[in-house]
Amino acid sequence: TTGCPISIWHAGTLNVENASLLTNEKVAQWSRAVYEYKDVWITEQSEKSKRLVGYIQVYDMSGMNWRQYSSREIAEKLKAALQTGGFYVEAVSHMFVINSSTLFAAVWI
């Protein structure tokens, strides 16, 4: 088989009103499980194919608005979700941010 997994994060679906109902620890547990699964898959595929493979990370920013960008709750959830990724940087072959607005560019800088 060829190809690699693609992970798509739909940032515009973040719900500011209900963000406080989900604990940061639950988000972090979910994130660890996702990154660990991808790491196991990549390791297995690399051994089978005798070449280093990685996954593609896509951040779809469509639907993001100022309320989401400025929400402390959302920022905490994103930090909890993405923090584990710092331990798996070498597993990412490509990363794309799509459907971002000028608002994203202003906040990112």
Side-chain angles (χ1 to χ4, degrees), residues 14-54:
L14 297 170
N15 186 324
V16 176
E17 291 82 22
N18 293 325
S20 63
L21 300 176
L22 185 61
T23 67
N24 291 344
E25 182 54 34
K26 288 287 185 190
V27 174
Q29 287 174 351
W30 169 82
S31 178
R32 283 190 298 272
V34 168
Y35 283 106
E36 287 171 9
Y37 172 79
K38 290 188 280 190
D39 187 57
V40 167
W41 188 93
I42 289 166
T43 300
E44 183 180 289
Q45 291 302 310
S46 294
E47 290 171 0
K48 282 182 181 178
S49 67
K50 304 288 190 237
R51 66 182 181 90
L52 186 61
V53 297

Short mmCIF file of all heavy atoms in Angstrom, two decimals, residues 14-54:
data_model
loop_
_atom_site.label_atom_id
_atom_site.label_comp_id
_atom_site.label_asym_id
_atom_site.label_seq_id
_atom_site.Cartn_x
_atom_site.Cartn_y
_atom_site.Cartn_z
N LEU A 14 -15.24 24.44 16.73
CA LEU A 14 -15.06 24.61 18.18
C LEU A 14 -16.24 25.40 18.75
O LEU A 14 -16.61 26.44 18.23
CB LEU A 14 -13.75 25.34 18.47
CG LEU A 14 -12.49 24.59 18.03
CD1 LEU A 14 -11.28 25.50 18.14
CD2 LEU A 14 -12.31 23.34 18.84
N ASN A 15 -16.81 24.92 19.83
CA ASN A 15 -17.99 25.51 20.43
C ASN A 15 -17.60 26.26 21.70
O ASN A 15 -17.32 25.64 22.73
CB ASN A 15 -19.00 24.40 20.73
CG ASN A 15 -20.31 24.93 21.23
OD1 ASN A 15 -20.37 25.91 21.96
ND2 ASN A 15 -21.39 24.26 20.85
N VAL A 16 -17.61 27.57 21.63
CA VAL A 16 -17.19 28.40 22.77
C VAL A 16 -18.13 28.21 23.95
O VAL A 16 -17.68 28.11 25.10
CB VAL A 16 -17.14 29.89 22.36
CG1 VAL A 16 -16.80 30.77 23.55
CG2 VAL A 16 -16.13 30.11 21.25
N GLU A 17 -19.44 28.10 23.70
CA GLU A 17 -20.40 27.99 24.79
C GLU A 17 -20.21 26.71 25.61
O GLU A 17 -20.42 26.70 26.82
CB GLU A 17 -21.84 28.03 24.26
CG GLU A 17 -22.27 29.38 23.72
CD GLU A 17 -21.79 29.60 22.28
OE1 GLU A 17 -21.49 28.61 21.57
OE2 GLU A 17 -21.68 30.76 21.89
N ASN A 18 -19.82 25.61 24.97
CA ASN A 18 -19.71 24.34 25.67
C ASN A 18 -18.27 23.92 25.98
O ASN A 18 -18.06 22.83 26.51
CB ASN A 18 -20.38 23.23 24.85
CG ASN A 18 -21.88 23.43 24.77
OD1 ASN A 18 -22.49 23.90 25.72
ND2 ASN A 18 -22.47 23.08 23.65
N ALA A 19 -17.33 24.77 25.69
CA ALA A 19 -15.91 24.42 25.90
C ALA A 19 -15.61 24.12 27.36
O ALA A 19 -14.82 23.23 27.66
CB ALA A 19 -15.00 25.54 25.40
N SER A 20 -16.26 24.80 28.27
CA SER A 20 -15.98 24.58 29.69
C SER A 20 -16.48 23.23 30.19
O SER A 20 -16.05 22.76 31.24
CB SER A 20 -16.58 25.71 30.53
OG SER A 20 -18.00 25.69 30.39
N LEU A 21 -17.37 22.58 29.45
CA LEU A 21 -17.90 21.28 29.86
C LEU A 21 -16.89 20.16 29.65
O LEU A 21 -17.02 19.09 30.25
CB LEU A 21 -19.18 20.96 29.08
CG LEU A 21 -20.33 21.95 29.26
CD1 LEU A 21 -21.50 21.55 28.36
CD2 LEU A 21 -20.77 22.02 30.72
N LEU A 22 -15.92 20.40 28.82
CA LEU A 22 -14.89 19.40 28.52
C LEU A 22 -13.61 19.78 29.27
O LEU A 22 -13.07 20.86 29.07
CB LEU A 22 -14.63 19.37 27.01
CG LEU A 22 -13.67 18.33 26.48
CD1 LEU A 22 -14.17 16.92 26.78
CD2 LEU A 22 -13.51 18.50 24.97
N THR A 23 -13.13 18.89 30.12
CA THR A 23 -11.94 19.22 30.90
C THR A 23 -10.69 19.17 30.02
O THR A 23 -10.63 18.43 29.03
CB THR A 23 -11.75 18.24 32.07
OG1 THR A 23 -11.45 16.94 31.55
CG2 THR A 23 -12.99 18.19 32.95
N ASN A 24 -9.70 19.95 30.39
CA ASN A 24 -8.44 19.95 29.65
C ASN A 24 -7.78 18.58 29.70
O ASN A 24 -7.14 18.16 28.75
CB ASN A 24 -7.49 21.02 30.20
CG ASN A 24 -7.98 22.42 29.90
OD1 ASN A 24 -8.84 22.63 29.06
ND2 ASN A 24 -7.43 23.38 30.60
N GLU A 25 -7.94 17.88 30.82
CA GLU A 25 -7.35 16.54 30.93
C GLU A 25 -7.98 15.56 29.94
O GLU A 25 -7.29 14.74 29.34
CB GLU A 25 -7.48 16.01 32.36
CG GLU A 25 -6.84 14.65 32.55
CD GLU A 25 -5.38 14.55 32.10
OE1 GLU A 25 -4.62 15.52 32.23
OE2 GLU A 25 -4.99 13.47 31.61
N LYS A 26 -9.30 15.65 29.73
CA LYS A 26 -9.96 14.78 28.74
C LYS A 26 -9.45 15.09 27.34
O LYS A 26 -9.22 14.18 26.54
CB LYS A 26 -11.48 14.94 28.80
CG LYS A 26 -12.11 14.34 30.02
CD LYS A 26 -12.10 12.83 29.93
CE LYS A 26 -12.85 12.24 31.10
NZ LYS A 26 -12.67 10.81 31.20
N VAL A 27 -9.28 16.36 27.05
CA VAL A 27 -8.74 16.75 25.75
C VAL A 27 -7.33 16.21 25.58
O VAL A 27 -6.97 15.66 24.54
CB VAL A 27 -8.76 18.29 25.57
CG1 VAL A 27 -8.07 18.70 24.28
CG2 VAL A 27 -10.19 18.81 25.59
N ALA A 28 -6.51 16.34 26.61
CA ALA A 28 -5.13 15.86 26.56
C ALA A 28 -5.08 14.34 26.41
O ALA A 28 -4.26 13.81 25.65
CB ALA A 28 -4.37 16.30 27.81
N GLN A 29 -5.97 13.61 27.10
CA GLN A 29 -6.02 12.15 26.96
C GLN A 29 -6.36 11.76 25.53
O GLN A 29 -5.76 10.86 24.96
CB GLN A 29 -7.06 11.55 27.92
CG GLN A 29 -6.66 11.55 29.36
CD GLN A 29 -7.79 11.08 30.26
OE1 GLN A 29 -8.93 10.90 29.84
NE2 GLN A 29 -7.47 10.89 31.53
N TRP A 30 -7.37 12.42 24.97
CA TRP A 30 -7.76 12.15 23.59
C TRP A 30 -6.59 12.44 22.64
O TRP A 30 -6.28 11.64 21.75
CB TRP A 30 -8.97 13.01 23.21
CG TRP A 30 -9.26 12.99 21.76
CD1 TRP A 30 -9.96 12.03 21.07
CD2 TRP A 30 -8.84 13.95 20.80
NE1 TRP A 30 -10.00 12.35 19.73
CE2 TRP A 30 -9.31 13.52 19.54
CE3 TRP A 30 -8.12 15.14 20.86
CZ2 TRP A 30 -9.10 14.23 18.37
CZ3 TRP A 30 -7.90 15.85 19.70
CH2 TRP A 30 -8.38 15.40 18.48
N SER A 31 -5.93 13.55 22.85
CA SER A 31 -4.81 13.94 21.99
C SER A 31 -3.69 12.92 22.05
O SER A 31 -3.13 12.53 21.02
CB SER A 31 -4.31 15.32 22.42
OG SER A 31 -3.20 15.70 21.65
N ARG A 32 -3.34 12.49 23.25
CA ARG A 32 -2.28 11.47 23.38
C ARG A 32 -2.65 10.20 22.63
O ARG A 32 -1.81 9.61 21.95
CB ARG A 32 -2.02 11.16 24.87
CG ARG A 32 -1.21 12.23 25.57
CD ARG A 32 -0.75 11.78 26.96
NE ARG A 32 -1.84 11.50 27.87
CZ ARG A 32 -2.43 12.42 28.65
NH1 ARG A 32 -2.01 13.68 28.62
NH2 ARG A 32 -3.40 12.08 29.47
N ALA A 33 -3.90 9.78 22.74
CA ALA A 33 -4.34 8.57 22.04
C ALA A 33 -4.22 8.74 20.53
O ALA A 33 -3.77 7.82 19.83
CB ALA A 33 -5.78 8.23 22.43
N VAL A 34 -4.60 9.89 20.02
CA VAL A 34 -4.52 10.15 18.58
C VAL A 34 -3.07 10.13 18.11
O VAL A 34 -2.72 9.45 17.13
CB VAL A 34 -5.19 11.50 18.21
CG1 VAL A 34 -4.86 11.91 16.78
CG2 VAL A 34 -6.68 11.42 18.41
N TYR A 35 -2.20 10.85 18.80
CA TYR A 35 -0.79 10.91 18.39
C TYR A 35 -0.10 9.56 18.55
O TYR A 35 0.72 9.18 17.72
CB TYR A 35 -0.04 11.99 19.17
CG TYR A 35 -0.33 13.38 18.66
CD1 TYR A 35 -1.14 14.25 19.37
CD2 TYR A 35 0.21 13.82 17.46
CE1 TYR A 35 -1.40 15.53 18.90
CE2 TYR A 35 -0.05 15.10 16.98
CZ TYR A 35 -0.85 15.95 17.70
OH TYR A 35 -1.11 17.21 17.24
N GLU A 36 -0.43 8.83 19.59
CA GLU A 36 0.18 7.51 19.78
C GLU A 36 -0.27 6.54 18.68
O GLU A 36 0.53 5.76 18.18
CB GLU A 36 -0.17 6.96 21.17
CG GLU A 36 0.58 7.68 22.27
CD GLU A 36 0.12 7.31 23.66
OE1 GLU A 36 -0.69 6.35 23.80
OE2 GLU A 36 0.55 7.97 24.62
N TYR A 37 -1.54 6.60 18.30
CA TYR A 37 -2.04 5.75 17.22
C TYR A 37 -1.29 6.06 15.91
O TYR A 37 -0.84 5.15 15.22
CB TYR A 37 -3.54 5.95 17.01
CG TYR A 37 -4.04 5.23 15.79
CD1 TYR A 37 -4.28 3.87 15.81
CD2 TYR A 37 -4.24 5.93 14.59
CE1 TYR A 37 -4.71 3.20 14.67
CE2 TYR A 37 -4.66 5.27 13.46
CZ TYR A 37 -4.90 3.91 13.50
OH TYR A 37 -5.33 3.26 12.37
N LYS A 38 -1.17 7.35 15.60
CA LYS A 38 -0.47 7.73 14.37
C LYS A 38 0.99 7.29 14.42
O LYS A 38 1.53 6.82 13.42
CB LYS A 38 -0.57 9.24 14.13
CG LYS A 38 -1.97 9.67 13.74
CD LYS A 38 -2.05 11.11 13.32
CE LYS A 38 -2.08 12.04 14.48
NZ LYS A 38 -2.39 13.44 14.11
N ASP A 39 1.61 7.38 15.59
CA ASP A 39 3.00 6.98 15.71
C ASP A 39 3.16 5.47 15.49
O ASP A 39 4.10 5.03 14.82
CB ASP A 39 3.54 7.37 17.09
CG ASP A 39 5.03 7.13 17.21
OD1 ASP A 39 5.80 7.68 16.38
OD2 ASP A 39 5.43 6.38 18.11
N VAL A 40 2.25 4.68 16.05
CA VAL A 40 2.30 3.23 15.85
C VAL A 40 2.13 2.90 14.36
O VAL A 40 2.85 2.09 13.80
CB VAL A 40 1.22 2.52 16.70
CG1 VAL A 40 1.04 1.08 16.27
CG2 VAL A 40 1.58 2.61 18.17
N TRP A 41 1.16 3.57 13.73
CA TRP A 41 0.92 3.32 12.30
C TRP A 41 2.16 3.68 11.48
O TRP A 41 2.58 2.90 10.62
CB TRP A 41 -0.28 4.13 11.82
CG TRP A 41 -0.69 3.79 10.42
CD1 TRP A 41 -1.63 2.88 10.05
CD2 TRP A 41 -0.16 4.34 9.21
NE1 TRP A 41 -1.72 2.82 8.68
CE2 TRP A 41 -0.83 3.71 8.12
CE3 TRP A 41 0.80 5.30 8.92
CZ2 TRP A 41 -0.57 4.02 6.81
CZ3 TRP A 41 1.07 5.60 7.59
CH2 TRP A 41 0.39 4.96 6.55
N ILE A 42 2.74 4.83 11.74
CA ILE A 42 3.91 5.29 10.98
C ILE A 42 5.09 4.35 11.19
O ILE A 42 5.80 4.01 10.24
CB ILE A 42 4.26 6.74 11.37
CG1 ILE A 42 3.20 7.68 10.82
CG2 ILE A 42 5.64 7.13 10.90
CD1 ILE A 42 3.25 9.05 11.41
N THR A 43 5.31 3.92 12.41
CA THR A 43 6.41 2.99 12.70
C THR A 43 6.22 1.69 11.94
O THR A 43 7.15 1.19 11.30
CB THR A 43 6.50 2.72 14.22
OG1 THR A 43 6.72 3.96 14.89
CG2 THR A 43 7.63 1.76 14.53
N GLU A 44 5.02 1.16 11.99
CA GLU A 44 4.72 -0.09 11.29
C GLU A 44 4.90 0.06 9.78
O GLU A 44 5.52 -0.79 9.13
CB GLU A 44 3.29 -0.53 11.60
CG GLU A 44 2.90 -1.84 10.98
CD GLU A 44 1.48 -2.21 11.35
OE1 GLU A 44 1.23 -2.55 12.52
OE2 GLU A 44 0.61 -2.16 10.45
N GLN A 45 4.37 1.13 9.22
CA GLN A 45 4.48 1.36 7.78
C GLN A 45 5.93 1.62 7.35
O GLN A 45 6.35 1.20 6.28
CB GLN A 45 3.57 2.50 7.33
CG GLN A 45 2.10 2.19 7.43
CD GLN A 45 1.72 0.96 6.63
OE1 GLN A 45 2.05 0.84 5.46
NE2 GLN A 45 1.03 0.03 7.26
N SER A 46 6.67 2.29 8.18
CA SER A 46 8.09 2.55 7.87
C SER A 46 8.87 1.24 7.84
O SER A 46 9.72 1.03 6.95
CB SER A 46 8.70 3.49 8.89
OG SER A 46 8.12 4.76 8.82
N GLU A 47 8.58 0.36 8.78
CA GLU A 47 9.27 -0.94 8.81
C GLU A 47 8.89 -1.80 7.60
O GLU A 47 9.74 -2.44 7.00
CB GLU A 47 8.96 -1.68 10.11
CG GLU A 47 9.61 -1.04 11.32
CD GLU A 47 9.14 -1.62 12.64
OE1 GLU A 47 8.29 -2.55 12.65
OE2 GLU A 47 9.61 -1.12 13.68
N LYS A 48 7.61 -1.80 7.24
CA LYS A 48 7.14 -2.59 6.10
C LYS A 48 7.71 -2.09 4.78
O LYS A 48 8.11 -2.88 3.93
CB LYS A 48 5.62 -2.56 6.01
CG LYS A 48 4.92 -3.46 6.98
CD LYS A 48 3.42 -3.37 6.75
CE LYS A 48 2.67 -4.24 7.73
NZ LYS A 48 1.21 -4.12 7.53
N SER A 49 7.71 -0.78 4.61
CA SER A 49 8.12 -0.21 3.32
C SER A 49 9.62 0.04 3.23
O SER A 49 10.12 0.39 2.17
CB SER A 49 7.38 1.11 3.07
OG SER A 49 7.80 2.09 4.02
N LYS A 50 10.32 -0.09 4.36
CA LYS A 50 11.76 0.17 4.41
C LYS A 50 12.09 1.61 4.04
O LYS A 50 13.15 1.92 3.51
CB LYS A 50 12.54 -0.79 3.49
CG LYS A 50 12.30 -2.25 3.76
CD LYS A 50 12.94 -2.68 5.05
CE LYS A 50 12.90 -4.18 5.16
NZ LYS A 50 12.24 -4.66 6.33
N ARG A 51 11.14 2.50 4.32
CA ARG A 51 11.37 3.94 4.12
C ARG A 51 10.63 4.69 5.22
O ARG A 51 9.66 4.19 5.77
CB ARG A 51 10.93 4.40 2.74
CG ARG A 51 9.46 4.33 2.50
CD ARG A 51 9.08 4.77 1.08
NE ARG A 51 7.65 4.69 0.90
CZ ARG A 51 6.80 5.69 1.14
NH1 ARG A 51 7.24 6.86 1.58
NH2 ARG A 51 5.51 5.53 0.96
N LEU A 52 11.12 5.85 5.54
CA LEU A 52 10.52 6.65 6.59
C LEU A 52 9.25 7.31 6.05
O LEU A 52 9.29 8.00 5.04
CB LEU A 52 11.51 7.72 7.07
CG LEU A 52 11.10 8.55 8.27
CD1 LEU A 52 10.88 7.65 9.48
CD2 LEU A 52 12.16 9.58 8.58
N VAL A 53 8.13 7.06 6.70
CA VAL A 53 6.88 7.68 6.30
C VAL A 53 6.39 8.60 7.41
O VAL A 53 6.88 8.54 8.53
CB VAL A 53 5.78 6.63 5.97
CG1 VAL A 53 6.17 5.78 4.80
CG2 VAL A 53 5.46 5.77 7.17
N GLY A 54 5.45 9.45 7.09
CA GLY A 54 4.88 10.37 8.05
C GLY A 54 3.43 10.61 7.72
O GLY A 54 2.90 10.07 6.76
#
